[in-house]
Amino acid sequence: GLLEACLTPEGFAVFHAADGVAALEGVSRDLPDLVLLDVAMPGMDGIEICRRHRKEYPSSTLPIVFVTAFHDRAARLRGKEAGADDFMTKPVDMDQLLDTLRVWLHR
């Protein structure tokens, strides 16, 4: 997708999941440095993926950033309650996204 096309040339290795179940499995299997999730995903939404990961790995410091069209306060609150570290709304400013990712990856 668009994010992958923008992130790959910047040196990021990107794993794209077709649905929420594949995303949760990929996070557990591939142990990425950072996770980008959308709230709206087929099969299992991003908030549930985040919640399950945080519950299964309570000591994990894996940064989870939501990139989503949902911009209302309720969606942000649900994401934060599930354990999200950051929340960006679409359309995404790619420079801002890259800055955000670099900040989280250097922590």
Side-chain angles (χ1 to χ4, degrees):
L2 178 61
L3 288 178
E4 187 172 356
C6 294
L7 294 174
T8 302
E10 295 293 328
F12 292 93
V14 178
F15 165 77
H16 174 82
D19 59 39
V21 173
L24 185 60
E25 290 171 354
V27 168
S28 298
R29 180 188 63 241
D30 299 333
L31 305 173
D33 296 323
L34 183 140
V35 175
L36 294 176
L37 290 173
D38 197 337
V39 171
M41 296 177 69
M44 181 187 308
D45 71 23
I47 291 174
E48 182 64 13
I49 294 166
C50 183
R51 187 189 68 72
R52 287 188 185 190
H53 176 77
R54 295 296 192 220
K55 183 177 180 183
E56 188 170 340
Y57 304 99
S59 63
S60 171
T61 58
L62 175 68
I64 297 177
V65 177
F66 278 94
V67 179
T68 185
F70 289 93
H71 60 273
D72 59 283
R73 190 176 189 295
R76 286 180 181 271
L77 183 59
R78 288 178 41 231
K80 287 291 186 183
E81 288 173 347
D85 295 295
D86 214 336
F87 203 103
M88 301 183 73
T89 55
K90 294 178 186 175
V92 174
D93 176 289
M94 287 311 297
D95 289 330
Q96 181 184 3
L97 176 62
L98 290 169
D99 287 345
T100 299
L101 297 183
R102 288 181 184 118
V103 165
W104 282 110
L105 289 171
H106 285 99
R107 288 191 175 186

